[in-house]
Amino acid sequence: MQKTSARLLALLSLLQTRRDWSGDDLAGRLGITPRTVRRDIDRLRELGYPVRATKGPSGGYRLDAGAHLPPLLFDDGQAVALALALRSAATDETIGEDAARALVAVRQVMPSRLRRRIDTLRVTAVRPRGAGSASPVVTQILAELGRVIHAREELRFDYGDDAAGVAGVAGAAGAVGAAGVSRAAGAVGRPRRVQPHHLVTWRGRWYLVAWDLDRDDWRTFRADRIRPRTPTGPRFTPRELPGEDVAAFVAGRFRGTDGSTTDWPCRGEVVLGLPAEAVAPFARDGIVEELGPDRCRLTLGSWSWTGLATTIGHFDADIQIIGPPELTGAFAELAARYAAAAAGRIQVSPGSTPAP
């Protein structure tokens, strides 16, 4: 039979792996009697672990959440995974400081063999170009947003703005006019009233997905601009998001759709005078088909026809437009605009007003 200390650690490890255990199952896994299991459960309770007895033919046990976080037991794989997750999280602008402190605490109690594995890994956060400088979100705000989502309580908040933030949202969305990405115009206005549904991350920023009660539509709010008001509102019944799930909804919103699909609202097809291997690395989620040693077919999507034509022009190659006609029109408009710019003239688009 194992020594008492080793047996307690083994018992704690089993209790952490699933919600409920019967006394007989624990006795069988540990090779001890049910009476010894009961004694060991009492010892764990004396050490501060909230083990609750459950009813059943042979009785059962459950490790509940307590008022304080007791010591936890991890195997080697779990400990390494936790440390790697904390090291990655330490590069985050929102929770980086807390993650770094947690990593120090975890590393201190690791065996030397595991510490060496962790110390060989260095993580550097590389921000995508054009992402702007994201304002860090106060951890308490994220916690409050998570609480009201879980409690299904209506939320009132002030929604601020800054010039860098607007550019950042446009860059993250890939479009200035991405549908459903809420932005305040300058100063904080009247409080927003929403039914909060999901807290998500997208390209390094936190967003709240919520049903806007005043606009009667889904909206996506930057969490670093939210300043919650108290008290919160009444409870609500969650609504069903358009699309397959929250990931598909958010991806669709940032592509300029209503969130019910992840497809780009504008999709076209061209033949480029470049080999497929030269185009593929820069085609994002487009489809590249080889047509010969120096030609390929590219099917690509974007938030607008002008945006799509501009993206295709980045390849700096001969272009044959396959379709649709809207893409041809966008190329014609861009050609006229660029020709006017080259000639030093001001090209006025339909419906726009020339600058004085």
Side-chain angles (χ1 to χ4, degrees), residues 60-85:
Y61 301 98
R62 174 186 302 169
L63 183 62
D64 277 350
H68 302 284
L69 184 65
L72 301 177
L73 180 66
F74 298 103
D75 60 30
D76 286 4
Q78 290 173 325
V80 171
L82 175 62
L84 294 182

Side-chain angles (χ1 to χ4, degrees), residues 15 21 23 28 47 51 78 86 128 141-142 154 167 188 201 254-255 257 282 289 301 353:
L15 290 172
W21 284 90
L47 293 172
V51 183
Q78 290 173 325
L86 289 173
I141 291 181
L142 293 180
E154 291 182 6
V188 174
T201 59
F254 278 101
R255 287 185 171 184
T257 72
F282 308 100
E289 179 185 352
T353 303

Side-chain angles (χ1 to χ4, degrees), residues 45 51-55 60-62:
R45 288 169 177 160
V51 183
R52 182 161 64 90
T54 59
K55 296 180 180 180
Y61 301 98
R62 174 186 302 169

